[in-house]
Amino acid sequence: MARVVKVFRTLRNHWKKSTVAVCVLSYGSYWLYGKHCDNILRREACILAREFGRQQIAPQERLRKATVILNPAACNGKANALFEKNAAPILHLAGVEITVVKTDYEGQAKKLMELMEQTDMLIVAGGDGTVQEVVTGLLRRPDQEKVSNIPIGFIPLGSNNSLSPSLNLSSDNKVEVITSATLSILRGEMVPLDVLQIKSEKEQPVFALMGLRWGAFRDAAATISKYWYFGPLKKYAAHWISTLHEWPLVRDVSISYLAPTLRPPDLPPQKKPRPSLLNRIARRLKNYWNPPVEAPPPPPVEEPEQWQQQQLSTLELYIQTHNKNPIERRTDDSLMICAEPNDFTVGEFITVGNVKEKDPSAFTKNSTKLEASACQLHLPEGATSFYNIDNEEYEAMPVEVRLLPRKLRFFISAERREQLLTETQNRH
């Protein structure tokens, strides 16, 4: 008992050191517990992957080949370690023959896609910039009609992973997200995604999966990192300071757009049963002795495109796909043109800007929304600004944005598919 009293007396006399020690021990225990939970997640994922690897294949079959495009610079240079520790063991245990190609500089993934050989699947390990480069390089190829059928997996390793909520589980635990995304590639469940083709008169086309963003909110968000010294208030500070440089921050733009097109049925037509052998022989003999005369097909009638035009005065313009919820069944193939009103107060601009920093596709109730299959942006002369195309910065210029419906197929987590399906049913 005397020893216990002595301990308490020592703690009371050295309360400052005791407080620091308790804080350090608490943080250390919390950190060790987090590492333990991460190891459990890795172990469970490896056990599931081993079951895929133990499946028997026929003698004439071969191992699946996967080409991994890895951006080591993603997530502040941590992407390579994240991939090697959380994703690579799962792929190896599953019996997938992987070829890892690491990018050394910005834009290299586009060039690598031009040289990519035949593969069973393509895995993008990085962030928004890596995905955008891979998709652009893939669809710029002369044989893009063929290579666009290659299934694509996305392992989110970047600081910005806008596509991840559409395909993978939403979680604050990065290990859980990476292992879940890798397992979804092994399970093989896929979903088609729309692609935006963004083309100017000078440059080659750029392709995007999420959208094109232009306006005052984008410009303010690009300066947030400069105000790091404001700590958690840096988002508010960036938007407030942008209003001091110029106000109002209204952008005038002229938009020409085409109406949405009717979506064809997803189910492929059923094949007719093959005729019997006697019928096929009789038909061939008949065609041999009396060959049919084929009339030339009539020339196709091309109807002129009916472009509609609209003048917009807005603080933010966002041309986006419907890939945020790729499970939702729509009657039309369309892209969405969203424009914020131009009558925001400074307070509203700061508040809405903070919301858009978390989700750029969030728009206010009074925003203008148009659906189209293609659109053309005509910017005012002398305008010096930038676009964000899938969170990658490009110089703003007049462009044509055209929808390529269900152009690419991506692997999706079964759990995320169920969540998106439930959200769609609840909304309707």
Side-chain angles (χ1 to χ4, degrees):
M1 185 67 183
R3 185 175 296 179
V4 175
V5 172
K6 185 178 180 180
V7 171
F8 277 105
R9 186 179 294 126
T10 303
L11 293 175
R12 184 188 65 184
N13 295 336
H14 303 278
W15 63 271
K16 294 181 180 178
K17 296 179 181 179
S18 302
T19 303
V20 173
V22 168
C23 293
V24 171
L25 288 174
S26 300
Y27 177 79
S29 301
Y30 177 78
W31 182 81
L32 289 174
Y33 178 72
K35 291 294 182 181
H36 173 68
C37 293
D38 291 345
N39 288 332
I40 291 176
L41 289 172
R42 296 187 187 101
R43 188 182 303 115
E44 292 177 349
C46 288
I47 292 173
L48 292 174
R50 188 174 58 185
E51 297 300 323
F52 285 97
R54 288 176 174 175
Q55 294 177 1
Q56 297 182 355
I57 60 175
Q60 68 274 13
E61 294 182 2
R62 57 177 178 81
L63 293 177
R64 291 182 295 172
K65 293 184 178 181
T67 301
V68 180
I69 305 298
L70 173 61
N71 180 11
C75 195
N76 299 321
K78 301 177 184 177
N80 187 62
L82 289 171
F83 177 79
E84 293 294 338
K85 196 169 186 178
N86 302 296
I90 297 174
L91 295 173
H92 287 302
L93 285 171
V96 180
E97 183 181 344
I98 64 173
T99 302
V100 180
V101 182
K102 298 181 181 180
T103 58
D104 297 323
Y105 54 88
E106 185 177 350
Q108 188 183 17
K110 298 177 186 177
K111 299 180 180 179
L112 291 173
M113 288 297 98
E114 298 176 2
L115 306 174
M116 185 188 68
E117 298 178 354
Q118 182 61 34
T119 183
D120 295 324
M121 67 180 77
L122 183 62
I123 300 176
V124 184
D128 287 342
T130 313
V131 175
Q132 197 259 339
E133 287 187 15
V134 167
V135 170
T136 298
L138 199 67
L139 297 181
R140 281 181 181 177
R141 290 173 54 126
D143 59 343
Q144 58 90 13
E145 289 292 341
K146 177 182 177 182
V147 297
S148 60
N149 293 322
I150 299 175
I152 304 174
F154 176 45
I155 300 178
L157 302 180
S159 302
N160 294 317
N161 304 293
S162 303
L163 185 63
S164 183
S166 303
L167 304 173
N168 307 314
L169 286 174
S170 299
S171 174
D172 295 331
N173 190 325
K174 203 167 189 66
V175 174
E176 182 180 7
V177 175
I178 295 173
T179 54
S180 174
T182 310
L183 287 173
S184 68
I185 296 173
L186 302 180
R187 295 189 176 103
E189 191 168 349
M190 290 181 288
V191 63
L193 295 185
D194 298 338
V195 177
L196 294 181
Q197 176 184 277
I198 304 167
K199 190 175 182 180
S200 66
E201 295 181 356
K202 302 178 181 179
E203 305 291 339
Q204 286 185 296
V206 175
F207 298 88
L209 291 171
M210 300 308 294
L212 179 149
R213 187 184 183 192
W214 175 72
F217 289 108
R218 188 225 74 88
D219 296 341
T223 64
I224 289 177
S225 59
K226 293 169 52 179
Y227 304 105
W228 57 268
Y229 44 83
F230 282 99
L233 300 177
K234 60 184 178 181
K235 298 178 183 178
Y236 297 96
H239 289 83
W240 176 63
I241 293 174
S242 66
T243 62
L244 298 180
H245 293 163
E246 180 186 357
W247 187 261
L249 300 169
V250 178
R251 305 287 194 272
D252 294 321
V253 60
S254 174
I255 296 182
S256 303
Y257 62 96
L258 294 174
T261 58
L262 189 65
R263 178 173 178 170
D266 294 337
L267 297 177
Q270 295 182 355
K271 295 183 179 180
K272 297 181 179 180
R274 192 178 184 186
S276 63
L277 178 61
L278 293 177
N279 288 338
R280 297 201 302 271
I281 294 174
R283 185 188 303 167
R284 288 187 179 183
L285 291 174
K286 179 181 178 182
N287 293 338
Y288 178 77
W289 295 109
N290 188 16
V293 179
E294 295 184 0
V301 179
E302 296 185 0
E303 297 183 1
E305 295 180 328
Q306 300 294 327
W307 290 90
Q308 305 178 48
Q309 191 160 350
Q310 185 163 345
Q311 300 289 333
L312 293 176
S313 180
T314 177
L315 265 72
E316 175 98 325
L317 180 70
Y318 195 16
I319 303 173
Q320 58 183 318
T321 63
H322 293 279
N323 290 338
K324 191 174 181 180
N325 186 353
I327 305 302
E328 186 175 8
R329 184 67 170 83
R330 298 179 302 276
T331 57
D332 294 328
D333 284 327
S334 65
L335 53 85
M336 182 71 72
I337 305 171
C338 302
E340 291 285 14
N342 60 358
D343 56 352
F344 279 39
T345 64
V346 173
E348 290 174 340
F349 178 79
I350 296 173
T351 303
V352 175
N354 187 48
V355 175
K356 285 181 175 292
E357 175 60 22
K358 301 175 183 176
D359 183 10
S361 62
F363 275 74
T364 58
K365 295 181 179 179
N366 297 328
S367 61
T368 301
K369 295 184 179 180
L370 303 171
E371 289 197 21
S373 59
C375 69
Q376 296 175 348
L377 296 185
H378 309 283
L379 304 183
E381 295 184 3
T384 56
S385 56
F386 293 90
Y387 294 138
N388 261 20
I389 300 177
D390 281 2
N391 280 327
E392 289 296 297
E393 193 173 90
Y394 289 83
E395 182 181 356
M397 61 182 68
V399 293
E400 178 181 291
V401 184
R402 191 170 292 270
L403 181 73
L404 306 179
R406 298 174 301 285
K407 185 65 176 178
L408 298 174
R409 297 181 301 155
F410 275 74
F411 292 104
I412 185 173
S413 167
E415 295 84 357
R416 187 55 180 158
R417 177 188 282 272
E418 291 298 325
Q419 291 177 357
L420 293 173
L421 189 60
T422 303
E423 292 176 8
T424 303
Q425 293 174 348
N426 293 338
R427 186 164 58 252
H428 293 291

